[in-house]
Amino acid sequence: AQSVSQHNHHVILSEAASLELGCNYSYGGTVNLFWYVQYPGQHLQLLLKYFSGDPLVKGIKGFEAEFIKSKFSFNLRKPSVQWSDTAEYFCAPLGATDKLIFGTGTRLQVFP
Amino acid sequence: NAGVMQNPRHLVRRRGQEARLRCSPMKGHSHVYWYRQLPEEGLKFMVYLQKENIIDESGMPKERFSAEFPKEGPSILRIQQVVRGDSAAYFCASSPKRNTEAFFGQGTRLTVV
């Protein structure tokens, strides 16, 4: 069965700090991978996606993620966070089931 | 191109009443997904529909919950005889085809009193 694990439930950073959020998935077949962001009180928005090709993908707002097939991981990174990055971040694999399976999410708080 | 539209944004129901949540997918999208988000939890998949067909309802509670996506009109998630535990945010997402990213609506926040 398809599943996903996000290790960091709550991350607190100061502005300009670097960010890395872990995501591991379990699925044996071909999988597409997504990171979504949910700002307070808002809906989910797509941050970035990986379908194939270069395993390092760049998304909006300076975020990037690296797909490491051997580790079943798709960690999200940003070199320097801003206060406006305060939000909840969800990793979601998409396999043959045709539905996004979401992790429990990571709540990021950035303090000025 | 309007995004995924959900209405109402907020819905208050008394225990035992029915809740009907509507979702209009993006133009050209024929795949609709419903998710439920409880406080402090992630999004839980409920049901996946294509026009007039339920593709996957493995996340739907066996009783009181139903969903449809008719040929014309929005997708409807219907909860009969609501209970306090149904209070949550319900998100709808749509996509133009299989196995691609989904676009989310603003959600309907259901409160059962």
Side-chain angles (χ1 to χ4, degrees):
Chain A
Q2 187 178 317
S3 67
V4 59
S5 174
Q6 291 184 241
H7 316 297
N8 320 97
H9 296 294
H10 194 186
V11 174
I12 301 173
L13 294 172
S14 298
E15 274 193 320
S18 65
L19 170 73
E20 180 159 2
L21 302 182
C23 171
N24 286 92
Y25 65 93
S26 64
Y27 184 69
T30 301
V31 63
N32 297 331
L33 294 154
F34 303 85
W35 276 96
Y36 282 83
V37 60
Q38 186 178 28
Y39 297 103
Q42 295 190 28
H43 65 293
L44 273 77
Q45 302 171 45
L46 182 66
L47 203 53
L48 48 77
K49 61 188 177 186
Y50 172 78
F51 283 6
S52 64
D54 188 344
L56 184 63
V57 292
K58 296 195 183 296
I60 60 172
K61 304 185 180 184
F63 285 90
E64 64 179 31
E66 185 175 12
F67 170 54
I68 303 179
K69 189 174 182 180
S70 61
K71 294 184 179 180
F72 296 92
S73 71
F74 190 54
N75 292 356
L76 181 71
R77 299 194 292 249
K78 185 171 183 178
S80 176
V81 294
Q82 300 173 307
W83 176 78
S84 58
D85 292 325
T86 294
E88 193 145 15
Y89 293 81
F90 295 93
C91 178
L94 176 63
T97 58
D98 285 339
K99 60 187 186 239
L100 289 164
I101 300 298
F102 286 90
T104 51
T106 297
R107 182 173 295 179
L108 172 65
Q109 280 184 288
V110 180
F111 289 95
Chain B
N1 188 5
V4 178
M5 305 299 293
Q6 289 188 250
N7 68 82
R9 293 288 308 278
H10 300 274
L11 182 62
V12 179
R13 284 287 178 266
R14 296 186 183 279
R15 280 178 294 172
Q17 291 185 318
E18 178 180 288
R20 291 171 71 88
L21 288 62
R22 293 175 185 77
C23 169
S24 296
M26 288 179 70
K27 188 176 181 181
H29 288 195
S30 58
H31 300 247
V32 166
Y33 310 81
W34 285 94
Y35 289 82
R36 178 164 61 178
Q37 186 177 34
L38 292 165
E40 305 300 319
E41 293 187 22
L43 282 86
K44 301 295 185 188
F45 168 79
M46 299 183 75
V47 62
Y48 164 33
L49 310 103
Q50 279 184 269
K51 282 288 186 181
E52 300 184 273
N53 291 307
I54 296 175
I55 306 301
D56 182 342
E57 57 181 349
S58 58
M60 287 278 271
K62 293 287 185 283
E63 297 176 349
R64 302 187 297 107
F65 285 72
S66 63
E68 63 177 14
F69 188 18
K71 188 176 180 182
E72 301 290 338
S75 175
I76 306 286
L77 179 67
R78 183 180 176 208
I79 311 172
Q80 295 178 289
Q81 299 174 325
V82 295
V83 300
R84 288 241 172 93
D86 296 333
S87 295
Y90 292 83
F91 288 95
C92 169
S94 74
S95 65
K97 58 182 181 179
R98 292 180 55 216
N99 214 25
T100 190
E101 70 262 35
F103 297 84
F104 282 80
Q106 299 272 10
T108 294
R109 277 159 180 79
L110 172 66
T111 303
V112 179
V113 296

